[in-house]
Amino acid sequence: QVQLVESGGGLVQPGGSLRLSCAASGKFFNVNDMAWYRQAPGKQRDLVAVITRGGSPNYADSVKARFTINRDNTKNTVYLQMNFLKPEDTAVYYCYAKIATIPPYREKDYWGQGTQVTVSS
């Protein structure tokens, strides 16, 4: 089966930085769109950033100019570089990928296990 494994979460002070990673493993044909979502306690899960297989990114307004999403297709891995972190960024961050499986090439949605990011003094 296909799995997304996240790493890189932790505790950081306001203004600090963290880098999240998410790697797809298993048998599949292609990893298409990849994205990061986040969910704070009592809040809905919101899109943070998304990137196409070709590398075109889009960001939520709340993280523009602070976060950068990129990917390495040779490693089937997506990254989220988070700079100038604010307490409002505190949430569980979830990796998402749309993956085309081996023939007959069915496309499925996959989610990572979530990683906690806490921004606090």
Side-chain angles (χ1 to χ4, degrees):
Q1 61 181 8
V2 178
Q3 291 187 345
L4 301 180
V5 180
E6 304 179 28
S7 63
L11 174 64
V12 65
Q13 293 185 6
S17 298
L18 284 173
R19 182 175 174 85
L20 306 183
S21 299
C22 173
S25 63
K27 293 185 176 180
F28 49 81
F29 180 71
N30 262 337
V31 181
N32 296 321
D33 286 358
M34 302 188 83
W36 291 96
Y37 289 73
R38 67 186 182 187
Q39 187 169 26
K43 303 290 186 179
Q44 68 177 350
R45 185 176 298 186
D46 291 328
L47 178 67
V48 176
V50 61
I51 186 167
T52 68
R53 179 171 178 81
S56 296
N58 282 288
Y59 300 93
D61 288 342
S62 59
V63 306
K64 286 181 179 178
R66 299 190 298 120
F67 291 10
T68 302
I69 187 171
N70 57 64
R71 63 190 291 168
D72 184 344
N73 289 341
T74 68
K75 300 178 179 179
N76 297 311
T77 299
V78 65
Y79 307 93
L80 185 67
Q81 179 66 48
M82 304 184 293
N83 299 321
F84 308 104
L85 281 161
K86 305 175 180 179
E88 305 93 280
D89 297 318
T90 296
V92 177
Y93 284 68
Y94 295 92
C95 178
Y96 163 87
K98 186 180 294 292
I99 296 177
T101 61
I102 59 176
Y105 307 110
R106 293 186 177 90
E107 224 174 27
K108 300 289 186 181
D109 297 331
Y110 291 90
W111 291 90
Q113 79 279 11
T115 185
Q116 177 70 46
V117 172
T118 302
V119 185
S120 176
S121 298

